[in-house]
């Protein structure tokens, strides 16, 4: 089984296995280490190594290509990523819908997974232009981004819609990467805490218990997306601690928290070493294979 297959595999018994981890003594843990290694990552789900920030060894780096690409550009970029990716890296790229087949063909069997940038909350029916979670799964997707600020701002997606999309992704056996984040105006007005906790609370209130265990949360301050102004380490530490506390209060432990917002090679090291940061959701920098691989390198440090 390749690194990517282990990383993005479906693991229906993940939660029960994770619970047993805490009861293992050091001697017992060593005995079970070999068996656990076959399910280290499993598609951004909770594995035994992912149940607490202090135990996390692998940072997830997810590229969001947004509305960019062509078959020719993609071929060059995907080949470069595949060639430069190292064994044990935890990488994925979320590509535009038309290029899912190309990503699947190029990356299958590699250490890089692929996913989508959006999904319909509908399973099937007369919904022209929509793409269901089951359709994404047909292309081998392991994850899908939901609730990105651009979807919320430009296409009117509200918290309830984001929650339904997250549930649809999880029901199709994939991992929902749920984005939360405040605008600059909201931050200046002192509403950051209210906004991000409301966005997360809406998801936690509407998804199933099983889906809660599959969630990955990406904090993307809207004012830092595509502006070149990354949040400071203190900003990120504050919000991620807030989200971690909210999740644990809801009984959800081990959730991966990603930071997104002008992540690049020059700041990735500091951001990825901030408390409660388990990876990064990378926008513009993911379009440059060399830059993206440098971020992956920073994640290994």
């Amino acid at each position: 089984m390749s690194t990517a297959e282990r990383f993005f595999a479906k693991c229906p018994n993940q939660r029960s296995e994770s619970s047993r981890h805490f009861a293992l003594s050091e001697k017992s843990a060593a005995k079970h280490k070999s068996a656990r290694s076959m399910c280290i990552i499993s598609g951004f789900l909770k594995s035994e190594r992912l149940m607490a920030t202090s135990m996390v060894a692998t940072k997830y780096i997810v590229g969001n290509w947004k509305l960019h690409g062509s078959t020719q550009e993609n071929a060059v970029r995907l080949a470069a990523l595949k060639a430069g990716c190292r064994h044990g890296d935890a990488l994925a790229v979320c590509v535009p819908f038309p290029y899912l087949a190309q990503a699947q063909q190029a990356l299958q069997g590699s250490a890089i997974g692929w996913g989508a940038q959006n999904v319909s909350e509908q399973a099937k029916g007369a919904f022209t232009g929509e793409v269901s979670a089951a359709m994404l799964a047909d292309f081998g997707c392991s994850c899908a981004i939901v609730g990105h600020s651009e979807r919320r701002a430009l296409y009117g997606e509200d918290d309830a819609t984001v929650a339904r999309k997250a549930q649809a992704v999880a029901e199709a056996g994939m991992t929902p990467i749920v984005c939360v984040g405040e605008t600059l105006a909201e931050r200046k007005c002192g509403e950051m805490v209210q906004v991000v906790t409301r966005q997360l609370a809406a998801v936690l209130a509407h998804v199933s218990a099983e889906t809660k265990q599959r969630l990955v949360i990406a904090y993307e301050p809207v004012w830092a997306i595509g502006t070149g102004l990354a949040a400071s380490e203190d900003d990120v530490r504050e919000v991620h601690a807030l989200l971690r506390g909210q999740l644990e209060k809801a009984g959800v432990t081990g959730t991966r928290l990603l930071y997104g917002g002008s992540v690049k090679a020059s700041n990735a090291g500091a951001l990825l070493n901030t408390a409660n940061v388990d990876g990064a959701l990378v926008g513009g920098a993911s379009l440059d294979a060399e830059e993206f691989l440098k971020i992956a390198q920073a994640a290994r440090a």
Side-chain angles (χ1 to χ4, degrees):
M1 183 180 285
S2 71
T3 300
E5 288 169 334
R6 291 198 302 273
F7 190 76
F8 295 105
K10 281 71 177 180
C11 227
N13 295 322
Q14 194 84 29
R15 189 177 180 185
S16 59
E17 288 297 319
S18 298
S19 299
R20 286 200 294 273
H21 171 73
F22 293 100
L24 293 174
S25 64
E26 290 184 5
K27 181 177 180 181
S28 180
K31 180 179 179 181
H32 287 79
K33 182 177 181 181
S34 177
R36 289 203 314 271
S37 67
M38 294 305 292
C39 197
I40 289 176
I41 308 281
S42 72
F44 293 119
L45 309 184
K46 309 299 177 294
S47 74
E48 295 168 5
R49 292 180 60 193
L50 308 184
M51 290 305 293
T53 302
S54 61
M55 299 169 62
V56 169
T58 304
K59 303 285 187 180
Y60 293 153
I61 309 299
V62 182
N64 177 12
W65 288 8
K66 303 191 179 184
L67 189 58
H68 295 286
S70 68
T71 53
Q72 184 174 0
E73 290 175 12
N74 300 344
V76 174
R77 187 180 301 128
L78 292 169
L81 291 176
K82 188 173 180 179
C85 183
R86 285 176 47 177
H87 179 76
D89 283 347
L91 309 180
V93 289
C94 292
V95 306
F97 291 138
Y99 302 130
L100 286 174
Q102 185 181 21
Q104 181 182 31
Q105 183 176 15
L107 299 176
Q108 199 158 29
S110 77
I112 307 173
W114 59 95
Q117 303 168 18
N118 186 33
V119 66
S120 175
E121 68 268 39
Q122 306 295 338
K124 62 172 61 176
F127 302 102
T128 300
E130 292 292 274
V131 176
S132 73
M135 293 173 181
L136 300 181
D138 274 348
F139 284 95
C141 291
S142 57
C143 59
I145 299 170
V146 298
H148 192 281
S149 64
E150 290 157 4
R151 300 295 312 176
R152 294 176 188 263
L154 300 177
Y155 301 99
E157 293 187 5
D158 57 18
D159 294 338
T161 299
V162 173
R164 290 192 296 270
K165 290 188 173 191
Q167 182 64 32
V169 171
E171 287 179 354
M174 300 175 293
T175 296
I177 302 176
V178 179
C179 297
V180 300
E182 81 285 2
T183 65
L184 183 59
E186 289 166 338
R187 174 169 277 271
K188 286 184 175 180
C189 291
E191 298 175 355
M192 179 272 291
V193 172
Q194 178 185 351
V195 171
V196 298
T197 55
R198 185 205 75 225
Q199 291 171 338
L200 179 55
V203 173
L204 295 176
H206 289 91
V207 302
S208 68
E210 181 180 355
T211 295
K212 289 177 185 178
Q213 300 303 321
R214 291 176 176 259
L215 295 173
V216 167
I217 307 300
Y219 169 56
E220 289 202 309
V222 180
W223 48 272
I225 298 174
T227 64
L229 302 173
S232 71
E233 294 166 49
D234 287 340
D235 291 334
V236 176
R237 186 180 298 109
E238 176 188 10
V239 178
H240 280 228
L242 175 70
L243 295 172
R244 180 76 68 199
Q246 185 179 2
L247 286 160
E248 292 181 349
K249 187 176 180 180
V252 185
T253 58
T255 303
R256 284 286 189 166
L257 301 180
L258 311 184
Y259 170 74
S262 295
V263 177
K264 46 196 173 186
S266 60
N267 61 20
L271 289 168
L272 290 169
N273 281 294
T274 301
N276 284 309
V277 175
D278 304 315
L281 182 56
V282 185
S286 69
L287 299 174
D288 183 329
E290 183 179 358
E291 182 82 359
F292 192 64
L293 289 169
K294 286 181 179 178
I295 295 172
Q297 182 178 6
R300 301 182 204 120

